[in-house]
Amino acid sequence: MAGVFTRRENTPGMLVVITLYFAGLAYFLFKLVRMWQPHLPQYRNNPVRRPLTTFAVITVILIVLTIVNACMCTANFGRGLKPHITGRKLESEEEKFANHNMTEMPNYNYGYGPGPGGAMGSRMTID
C-alpha cells in the first residue's frame, strides 16, 4: 500500500502506513526485550533464542530504514516527481514512431496472404 500511496502522493495514507511501521517496530522491540528478560523460564537456555534475536535485530534495522525512506518520500510530495513517475509524453512524431515499432509486434493478420481480406489463416498446412 505504501507504493500506491507514494505514487499517488496521498499524505494521509502514507501517515497511516508510517504509523503501522512504528507499530511493527514496537512489536519487534517488545519481543526482543521480552526474550532476554531473565525471569521468563521459557526463554532461559532455549537454543532458539540466538537465531530469533538475530532475526529481530535485522528486522528492527530494516524497519527503521523503511520508516526513514517513507518519511523522505512523504516530505517530497508536491515537488514535481509525480509527472516523472506516471510517465512522460513523447516529444516528436519521429520518436513516437520509433518507440511504437520497437515495443509492439507487427500485425500480419490483415493485408497479407490468402483468406478473406488478405488475412493469413491461423494454421499453415502442407499440401
Side-chain angles (χ1 to χ4, degrees):
M1 287 309 298
V4 173
F5 291 144
T6 302
R7 281 196 181 135
R8 295 182 181 170
E9 295 187 359
N10 187 343
T11 305
M14 281 302 290
L15 292 177
V16 168
V17 168
I18 291 171
T19 303
L20 291 175
Y21 287 155
F22 275 114
L25 179 64
Y27 172 76
F28 275 101
L29 287 175
F30 166 75
K31 282 298 193 182
L32 186 62
V33 168
R34 179 97 175 183
M35 207 173 354
W36 285 94
Q37 288 178 341
H39 66 277
L40 295 175
Q42 66 263 30
Y43 289 116
R44 195 177 310 141
N45 299 326
N46 195 342
V48 218
R49 187 161 77 169
R50 287 185 63 199
L52 283 177
T53 302
T54 304
F55 172 75
V57 168
I58 291 172
T59 303
V60 164
I61 291 169
L62 290 175
I63 288 176
V64 167
L65 292 174
T66 303
I67 290 170
V68 168
N69 188 25
C71 290
M72 287 174 56
C73 287
T74 305
N76 287 325
F77 283 176
R79 295 196 179 166
L81 188 59
K82 190 174 183 178
H84 296 289
I85 292 175
T86 57
R88 67 180 187 92
K89 301 275 184 192
L90 297 176
E91 295 166 5
S92 66
E93 282 296 319
E94 194 173 289
E95 189 178 353
K96 286 181 187 178
F97 183 72
N99 286 340
H100 177 71
N101 287 341
M102 295 178 95
T103 58
E104 295 184 16
M105 296 292 294
N107 187 2
Y108 291 116
N109 290 334
Y110 300 104
Y112 297 101
M120 291 180 69
S122 61
R123 300 185 115 193
M124 295 183 71
T125 59
I126 300 176
D127 292 326

